[in-house]
Amino acid sequence: MKCHHYFGLRACILPVLILLTRFAAPGQGAPDVRLDSVITSGLSEPVQVVNAGDGSGRLFIVQQGGTIKVFNRVTDASFSDQGVFFRISGIPVTGEQGLLSMAFHPQFSTNRRFYVYYTNAQNNLEVASYQTGADPNRFDPATGQILLTIPHPTYTNHNGGEMHFGADGMLYLSVGDGGGAGDPGGNAQDLSKNLGKILRIDVNRADLRPADNPFPNSLVYALGLRNPFRWSFDRQTGAAWIGDVGQGRFEEINAVSETDLRGANFGWDCLEGNSTYTAGCTAPANYFAPVHTYATGSEGQRSVIGGVVYRGAAFPNLNGYYVGADYFGSQLHLIRQTGTTYSFTPDDVGVTGISDLGEAENGEIYAVSRLTNILYRVEEGPPLPVKFASFSVSRSEDNSADIQWRVSASSDFSSFELQRSDNAREFTVIAHIPRKDTGEEFTNYSFTDATVQPDRRYYYRLRVLDNDGSFEFSPIAAFYAPITGIDPPTGEARLVRPTIIESGELQIYLQEPFDELQLIGLSGQCTHKIALGLRTGQLRINPGPIPAGLYLARFTNNRKVVTEKIIFP
C-alpha cells in the first residue's frame, strides 16, 4: 500500500476506499459517547470550531478554502446560519494549505479583534489580525494587519496549526516542522526556527516577543513537535493537550501542565511516540513523553486529531474527560487523568474525517468532519442500535457496486436506509432494507447497486432507523465504477503504466480526479505542469520532448499528493 500525506494527515491508495471496516467497543469506566448532527448543510471543508468568548453563544467554523462561517446559538443542539464572518482570498488552499485557524482576543467584546492563521501566497505561514465592523457578524477587511510571517521553504505540508489565547493573555500557536519525511530540515529541535514548535506571542508588543519566554529573544515556548495540527488548553486547569501526527509508526497525544509547557521538549525527531526515530539519539533535555500513543494504522487510524477536555454542564459523567479523535478512524479518544496516570478508552461513533473538536462558550464540545461537512455535538449516550463488524463496497462481475455489511447487537432497530452520493456530502436514498431476525450473533446484509455509471466514484452510507423513530448514520464507504474492459488500479498498481515511458506518451489510470500532473527531475525542479481538469479513467498524455532520465510524476488535488517514479529512456 502506498501512503501519502495531505492536510497534515495521511492518505493511502486503495482499490476501493473503505473509510471504516471495524468498530471497537468502548472500554469500561468511561461513559458512552455519540455524535449528534447539528449543522448538516452550508459547510465546506470545515477545519475548526471556535467560540468568541463574548457572551453571545455564537459558534464560528473555520473552512480551509478561506472563509469562516458564523452561527447563532438557539439551543445546544440548534444553531442558525448567519453567513460568512470572514473571507480571505489569494491563498493556496490545496493539500495541507489554506485557512487553518482563528482565535478571538480575550477582550474581543470591547476591542472586536480576532486573529487568523493561514498559508500565504508564497507558501509561508502567516498570522494576521482583524476587527469586526458595525455588524458583529462581519469582519472589516480594512483593519487587516499581518503580525507574523514564518518561512516555510521546500515543502507545503506540516503547517500545523491552531491558535489559542492562554490564561496569561498571550497567543499560543502550534506550528508543524516544515514538511518532508523525518524533518529533513532539522527544524523541530532548532531554536533558531519557529517550525515544529509551540509559539507564545504577545500581540500587544511590536516585536511580539514576551519578555518571560524561556528562550531569549524568541517566540519559541515549547519544541520537538512534528505536526501538531490540533490542540487545546483545559479551561479549568490550564493544561495543554496536543495531538501530534506521527511519521509512520505512532500517533501521540501529549498533556502537560500550564507550568511545565514552558520550555517543554516533546522529542521529535529524536523520538516518535516513545520509540527512537533517529538512530543514536537520546531523549533531549526537559523531555515530556506522550500520555498516550497508538500504532499508526490500528483500527484504521492514521492521523491523530487533538481534542479538548469536557467542562460543560449537560453531561456530568463526561466532566474531566479529554475527547480527541483520528481523521481516518471513527473512534473518539477518551482520556481520564487521575493523579499522574492516564486511562484511555476508545469509543466508536461512526464518523470519519473529523478535523477538529472545539468548545462552545458553555463548555459543550462540538466536532466537524471535513469529509461529511457536518457539525456534530459530542453527547453522552448509548451507541448505535447496531454494532458494525464490517461495511464495504466492491465491484461485482458486471461492474455493479456490491455493498455488504455485517452487524451484531441488532435487535433494537427497525431497518436500514441505504443512501448514495457522488460527492460524500449530499446523499439520496436508493433502498430500504428491513432488519433480519436470524438469532445469530452476527447478521450479514447485502445490496447490489446496478445503476452506477462507468468512470465515476460513488459514496455509500446507511441510516439506521430505530424503533422509536430516532436514527444514526454508519460510516461512509466509496466505490469507483470502472470503464468496461479497464481494470481499476489495485493497492500496489501505479497511476502511470508502464513506468518506462514508451514513445513519449504517458498512459494514466485515475480512480479519482486530480487537478494537475507535475514532472520533476532529479534536480528537484518541476519541468512540466499538465492540467488534468479533474478527469478520471484512462488518459493518454503527450508532454512533448523530455530529456532521458528518472522523473517524479506528482499528481495533486485539494486533498492529497501522489508521487510515482517514471523513466523516460
Side-chain angles (χ1 to χ4, degrees):
M1 184 184 299
K2 298 177 181 177
C3 294
H4 308 274
H5 291 75
Y6 68 95
F7 209 67
L9 315 172
R10 291 180 200 82
C12 296
I13 302 173
L14 297 172
V16 177
L17 175 63
I18 305 302
L19 299 180
L20 179 77
T21 56
R22 183 179 170 215
F23 278 69
Q28 295 182 350
D32 285 330
V33 291
R34 60 186 289 170
L35 292 182
D36 183 36
S37 301
V38 175
I39 298 173
T40 59
S41 63
L43 299 180
S44 176
E45 296 189 319
V47 294
Q48 192 188 22
V49 183
V50 185
N51 75 80
D54 62 350
S56 68
R58 292 176 294 172
L59 279 186
F60 297 78
I61 300 180
V62 180
Q63 303 185 120
Q64 183 188 357
T67 58
I68 299 172
K69 297 288 293 289
V70 56
F71 296 84
N72 281 348
R73 179 185 179 276
V74 180
T75 67
D76 286 341
S78 176
F79 290 81
S80 62
D81 190 342
Q82 301 301 303
V84 174
F85 171 78
F86 172 82
R87 185 186 306 275
I88 188 170
S89 59
I91 64 172
V93 296
T94 58
E96 300 181 25
Q97 299 179 304
L99 181 59
L100 302 177
S101 180
M102 76 174 304
F104 288 90
H105 193 282
Q107 281 79 51
F108 172 74
S109 60
T110 56
N111 67 18
R112 308 192 319 275
R113 189 167 296 281
F114 65 96
Y115 302 83
V116 290
Y117 175 63
Y118 54 89
T119 53
N120 68 15
Q122 292 74 43
N123 299 323
N124 296 318
L125 310 177
E126 209 152 75
V127 176
S129 70
Y130 289 87
Q131 291 177 287
T132 59
D135 183 347
N137 286 331
R138 302 291 181 267
F139 86 115
D140 181 356
T143 62
Q145 179 183 1
I146 296 173
L147 298 185
L148 175 66
T149 300
I150 302 172
H152 194 282
T154 311
Y155 303 98
T156 60
N157 61 339
H158 297 189
N159 304 309
E162 187 166 16
M163 298 185 298
H164 292 283
F165 275 93
D168 56 4
M170 300 297 168
L171 179 64
Y172 292 75
L173 166 66
S174 65
V175 186
D177 68 5
D183 191 9
N187 298 320
Q189 294 294 327
D190 187 344
L191 287 173
S192 70
K193 299 177 181 177
N194 288 328
L195 300 172
K197 311 294 194 305
I198 297 290
L199 306 182
R200 181 172 179 257
I201 302 167
D202 187 343
V203 297
N204 297 314
R205 287 175 60 106
D207 65 359
L208 304 177
R209 298 170 182 169
D212 57 347
N213 268 9
F215 307 104
N217 299 313
S218 175
L219 296 177
V220 175
Y221 200 70
L223 66 156
L225 292 163
R226 181 178 178 272
N227 194 34
F229 177 60
R230 289 291 170 254
W231 70 284
S232 68
F233 284 120
D234 181 343
R235 63 162 62 186
Q236 180 170 307
T237 69
W241 289 78
I242 306 166
D244 198 11
V245 180
Q247 175 64 49
R249 296 176 60 199
F250 297 103
E251 309 299 310
E252 67 177 70
I253 300 168
N254 298 282
V256 59
S257 71
E258 185 176 15
T259 301
D260 289 338
L261 181 62
R262 174 185 168 86
N265 193 323
F266 297 102
W268 176 253
D269 66 339
C270 176
L271 300 166
E272 181 186 9
N274 291 307
S275 299
T276 298
Y277 179 82
T278 301
C281 184
T282 58
N286 209 24
Y287 169 65
F288 281 83
V291 299
H292 181 72
T293 66
Y294 58 93
T296 300
S298 61
E299 301 289 345
Q301 303 179 104
R302 303 195 296 279
S303 289
V304 66
I305 298 294
V308 294
V309 177
Y310 181 77
R311 298 298 183 187
F315 308 107
N317 291 332
L318 271 178
N319 184 54
Y321 276 93
Y322 163 88
V323 185
D326 185 282
Y327 185 84
F328 289 97
S330 59
Q331 295 179 354
L332 290 185
H333 301 158
L334 276 67
I335 299 180
R336 180 76 172 186
Q337 180 181 2
T338 306
T340 58
T341 63
Y342 296 83
S343 59
F344 176 81
T345 303
D347 199 348
D348 203 297
V349 293
V351 176
T352 56
I354 292 175
S355 50
D356 185 47
L357 294 104
E359 290 180 285
E361 276 191 83
N362 61 3
E364 296 305 307
I365 299 178
Y366 295 84
V368 283
S369 169
R370 190 167 166 269
L371 178 64
T372 65
N373 291 317
I374 291 175
L375 174 81
Y376 303 90
R377 183 187 181 198
V378 176
E379 300 177 352
E380 182 185 359
L384 285 168
V386 299
K387 295 284 188 182
F388 282 81
S390 64
F391 178 52
S392 63
V393 188
S394 60
R395 180 176 57 136
S396 64
E397 292 184 359
D398 63 354
N399 286 344
S400 297
D402 185 13
I403 307 152
Q404 299 192 22
W405 62 102
R406 192 176 191 223
V407 301
S408 63
S410 57
S411 60
D412 188 25
F413 78 105
S414 61
S415 63
F416 295 102
E417 183 180 87
L418 180 62
Q419 301 180 354
R420 188 180 75 185
S421 170
D422 59 6
N423 58 16
R425 295 188 295 273
E426 293 83 25
F427 284 82
T428 301
V429 177
I430 63 171
H432 289 86
I433 297 93
R435 184 187 79 231
K436 295 180 182 179
D437 294 314
T438 63
E440 302 292 332
E441 179 181 1
F442 291 96
T443 305
N444 296 313
Y445 293 84
S446 64
F447 182 85
T448 298
D449 182 6
T451 65
V452 295
Q453 300 297 312
D455 196 23
R456 292 184 61 183
R457 180 171 292 276
Y458 295 93
Y459 300 86
Y460 295 90
R461 72 181 182 188
L462 294 163
R463 190 168 79 138
V464 186
L465 303 174
D466 209 343
N467 288 321
D468 63 2
S470 62
F471 63 89
E472 291 288 347
F473 289 106
S474 77
I476 296 172
F479 171 74
Y480 170 73
I483 302 172
T484 302
I486 299 178
D487 291 330
T490 65
E492 295 299 327
R494 302 175 60 88
L495 277 65
V496 181
R497 291 179 276 169
T499 57
I500 300 179
I501 307 305
E502 301 172 347
S503 304
E505 183 179 67
L506 297 174
Q507 298 187 53
I508 302 173
Y509 301 81
L510 300 178
Q511 292 187 77
E512 59 185 295
F514 286 92
D515 299 293
E516 187 177 72
L517 165 62
Q518 300 172 3
L519 297 181
I520 301 170
L522 290 179
S523 65
Q525 291 186 325
C526 179
T527 63
H528 290 72
K529 291 185 177 181
I530 302 167
L532 298 177
L534 300 177
R535 291 175 291 173
T536 56
Q538 183 178 15
L539 307 178
R540 294 180 179 271
I541 296 174
N542 191 331
I546 293 182
L550 177 66
Y551 291 80
L552 294 179
R554 178 183 292 167
F555 296 83
T556 63
N557 62 22
N558 65 347
R559 290 179 177 268
K560 62 184 175 186
V561 177
V562 180
T563 302
E564 297 181 343
K565 294 180 181 179
I566 57 176
I567 298 173
F568 282 84

